[in-house]
Amino acid sequence: MLVFSLGVIAVQVVWSRIWLAHFRYGPLEWAWRCVTWWQWQPLHKQAAAATAMNR
């Protein structure tokens, strides 16, 4: 069980680094922000930068 748990954690760390290299938020955080702010939030880093420059 310990080896399995360490394997799952290792996969999560690698996947998180890949995800956050391309996206601004995690998928659940993004959904939560959209719901609480009643506004579509940019998910991709490039879209977020473009939106910030237009303000």
Side-chain angles (χ1 to χ4, degrees):
M1 187 59 84
L2 179 61
V3 173
F4 175 75
S5 300
L6 292 174
V8 169
I9 290 171
V11 169
Q12 287 179 338
V13 167
V14 170
W15 181 254
S16 294
R17 291 190 56 89
I18 293 169
W19 179 272
L20 291 175
H22 299 286
F23 298 104
R24 188 173 181 185
Y25 307 114
L28 293 178
E29 182 181 2
W30 172 79
W32 183 253
R33 285 176 185 261
C34 290
V35 169
T36 58
W37 292 354
W38 290 93
Q39 206 174 33
W40 193 263
Q41 301 298 313
L43 183 59
H44 289 278
K45 285 188 175 182
Q46 293 83 11
T51 303
M53 292 178 70
N54 291 336
R55 289 184 180 185

